[in-house]
Amino acid sequence: MENMMDMKEIGREIIRELQGDAAIVAKDKTRNEFNSVFQDYADGVCFGQIWARPGIERKQRSILNIAMLTALNRPNQLRSHLNGALNNGCTVDELREILLQAVVYCGLPAALDAVKIAEEVLRERKLLV
Protein backbone atom coordinates (compact mmCIF):
# COMPACT_ATOMS: atom_id res chain seq x y z
CA MET A 1 0.00 0.00 0.00
CA GLU A 2 2.90 2.34 0.62
CA ASN A 3 3.89 1.98 -3.03
CA MET A 4 0.45 3.25 -4.05
CA MET A 5 0.92 6.21 -1.68
CA ASP A 6 4.19 6.98 -3.44
CA MET A 7 2.45 6.74 -6.84
CA LYS A 8 -0.27 9.14 -5.67
CA GLU A 9 2.34 11.68 -4.58
CA ILE A 10 4.21 11.29 -7.87
CA GLY A 11 0.89 11.70 -9.68
CA ARG A 12 0.00 14.84 -7.76
CA GLU A 13 3.37 16.35 -8.61
CA ILE A 14 2.83 15.60 -12.30
CA ILE A 15 -0.64 17.18 -12.15
CA ARG A 16 0.93 20.22 -10.50
CA GLU A 17 3.53 20.44 -13.28
CA LEU A 18 0.93 19.98 -16.03
CA GLN A 19 -1.90 22.11 -14.71
CA GLY A 20 -0.49 24.22 -11.90
CA ASP A 21 -1.07 24.48 -8.16
CA ALA A 22 -4.63 25.71 -8.71
CA ALA A 23 -5.60 22.32 -10.18
CA ILE A 24 -4.44 20.54 -7.02
CA VAL A 25 -6.24 23.04 -4.78
CA ALA A 26 -9.46 22.71 -6.80
CA LYS A 27 -9.20 18.92 -6.79
CA ASP A 28 -8.69 18.86 -3.02
CA LYS A 29 -11.67 21.16 -2.44
CA THR A 30 -13.98 18.73 -4.22
CA ARG A 31 -12.63 15.65 -2.43
CA ASN A 32 -15.19 13.83 -0.31
CA GLU A 33 -15.98 10.40 1.06
CA PHE A 34 -17.66 9.34 -2.19
CA ASN A 35 -15.14 10.53 -4.79
CA SER A 36 -11.89 10.04 -2.90
CA VAL A 37 -11.33 6.56 -4.36
CA PHE A 38 -11.69 7.98 -7.90
CA GLN A 39 -9.32 10.83 -7.15
CA ASP A 40 -6.80 8.40 -5.66
CA TYR A 41 -7.07 6.25 -8.79
CA ALA A 42 -6.50 9.23 -11.08
CA ASP A 43 -3.56 10.48 -9.01
CA GLY A 44 -1.89 7.10 -8.50
CA VAL A 45 -2.62 5.19 -11.69
CA CYS A 46 -3.29 7.72 -14.42
CA PHE A 47 -0.64 10.26 -13.43
CA GLY A 48 1.62 8.40 -10.97
CA GLN A 49 2.08 5.28 -13.08
CA ILE A 50 1.19 6.10 -16.71
CA TRP A 51 2.21 9.75 -17.07
CA ALA A 52 5.41 9.03 -15.10
CA ARG A 53 6.57 6.33 -17.53
CA PRO A 54 9.68 7.13 -19.57
CA GLY A 55 8.52 5.63 -22.92
CA ILE A 56 7.21 8.83 -24.51
CA GLU A 57 7.52 12.50 -23.68
CA ARG A 58 4.78 14.41 -21.91
CA LYS A 59 4.10 16.50 -24.99
CA GLN A 60 3.33 13.30 -26.90
CA ARG A 61 1.05 12.11 -24.10
CA SER A 62 -0.76 15.44 -24.26
CA ILE A 63 -1.23 15.10 -28.02
CA LEU A 64 -2.65 11.60 -27.57
CA ASN A 65 -5.00 12.76 -24.83
CA ILE A 66 -6.31 15.67 -26.88
CA ALA A 67 -7.06 13.32 -29.77
CA MET A 68 -8.72 10.70 -27.57
CA LEU A 69 -10.75 13.20 -25.55
CA THR A 70 -11.92 14.82 -28.79
CA ALA A 71 -13.00 11.41 -30.10
CA LEU A 72 -14.81 10.66 -26.85
CA ASN A 73 -16.31 14.17 -26.73
CA ARG A 74 -15.18 14.81 -23.14
CA PRO A 75 -15.06 18.62 -22.88
CA ASN A 76 -14.14 18.97 -19.20
CA GLN A 77 -11.15 16.69 -19.44
CA LEU A 78 -10.23 18.16 -22.82
CA ARG A 79 -10.03 21.64 -21.29
CA SER A 80 -7.55 20.57 -18.62
CA HIS A 81 -5.47 18.55 -21.09
CA LEU A 82 -5.32 21.46 -23.55
CA ASN A 83 -3.85 23.55 -20.76
CA GLY A 84 -1.48 20.72 -19.93
CA ALA A 85 -0.46 20.40 -23.58
CA LEU A 86 0.43 24.09 -23.70
CA ASN A 87 2.42 23.66 -20.48
CA ASN A 88 4.15 20.67 -22.10
CA GLY A 89 5.30 22.76 -25.05
CA CYS A 90 2.54 22.28 -27.62
CA THR A 91 2.12 25.35 -29.79
CA VAL A 92 -1.13 26.88 -30.96
CA ASP A 93 -0.31 25.66 -34.47
CA GLU A 94 0.22 22.11 -33.20
CA LEU A 95 -3.10 22.18 -31.34
CA ARG A 96 -4.83 23.31 -34.53
CA GLU A 97 -3.23 20.46 -36.47
CA ILE A 98 -4.22 17.90 -33.84
CA LEU A 99 -7.83 19.04 -34.03
CA LEU A 100 -7.75 19.17 -37.83
CA GLN A 101 -6.55 15.57 -37.84
CA ALA A 102 -9.41 14.74 -35.46
CA VAL A 103 -11.95 16.11 -37.95
CA VAL A 104 -11.12 13.28 -40.34
CA TYR A 105 -11.17 10.46 -37.80
CA CYS A 106 -13.65 11.67 -35.15
CA GLY A 107 -16.06 13.61 -37.34
CA LEU A 108 -16.82 17.27 -37.70
CA PRO A 109 -19.25 17.62 -34.74
CA ALA A 110 -16.78 16.20 -32.21
CA ALA A 111 -13.87 18.19 -33.61
CA LEU A 112 -15.85 21.44 -33.70
CA ASP A 113 -16.80 20.97 -30.04
CA ALA A 114 -13.10 20.49 -29.29
CA VAL A 115 -12.17 23.57 -31.34
CA LYS A 116 -14.62 25.65 -29.31
CA ILE A 117 -13.03 24.51 -26.06
CA ALA A 118 -9.53 25.04 -27.44
CA GLU A 119 -10.46 28.60 -28.42
CA GLU A 120 -11.74 29.25 -24.89
CA VAL A 121 -8.50 27.92 -23.37
CA LEU A 122 -6.38 29.94 -25.80
CA ARG A 123 -8.34 33.12 -25.04
CA GLU A 124 -7.99 32.55 -21.28
CA ARG A 125 -4.24 32.25 -21.78
CA LYS A 126 -4.18 35.29 -24.09
CA LEU A 127 -2.92 33.21 -27.01
CA LEU A 128 -5.94 34.06 -29.17
CA VAL A 129 -7.76 37.37 -29.48
Side-chain angles (χ1 to χ4, degrees):
M1 192 62 149
E2 187 170 304
N3 189 21
M4 187 57 182
M5 291 303 290
D6 293 342
M7 291 291 102
K8 286 193 305 189
E9 288 308 311
I10 291 168
R12 287 173 65 84
E13 183 56 34
I14 290 172
I15 293 167
R16 185 174 283 106
E17 291 168 7
L18 291 174
Q19 300 170 1
D21 290 329
I24 295 293
V25 170
K27 185 176 174 77
D28 290 345
K29 282 184 182 179
T30 64
R31 187 179 184 88
N32 60 45
E33 187 178 312
F34 182 76
N35 70 26
S36 63
V37 68
F38 299 101
Q39 287 194 18
D40 290 347
Y41 180 85
D43 292 350
V45 176
C46 177
F47 290 97
Q49 291 180 8
I50 303 304
W51 272 84
R53 291 179 60 81
I56 58 175
E57 295 177 18
R58 287 187 184 173
K59 182 177 175 180
Q60 293 170 307
R61 291 185 193 282
S62 288
I63 291 168
L64 288 167
N65 282 356
I66 291 167
M68 290 184 285
L69 292 168
T70 297
L72 294 168
N73 202 9
R74 297 294 188 258
N76 293 327
Q77 291 294 312
L78 178 61
R79 179 180 308 284
S80 66
H81 282 283
L82 284 162
N83 274 302
L86 290 164
N87 293 340
N88 281 333
C90 278
T91 66
V92 173
D93 289 340
E94 288 171 325
L95 293 178
R96 183 187 312 102
E97 291 303 316
I98 295 163
L99 296 176
L100 185 58
Q101 185 81 12
V103 169
V104 177
Y105 292 96
C106 304
L108 190 59
L112 287 179
D113 285 349
V115 166
K116 179 182 174 185
I117 294 182
E119 288 174 331
E120 291 171 5
V121 167
L122 293 173
R123 280 190 190 97
E124 289 167 5
R125 293 179 68 136
K126 304 206 182 336
L127 297 171
L128 181 68
V129 286

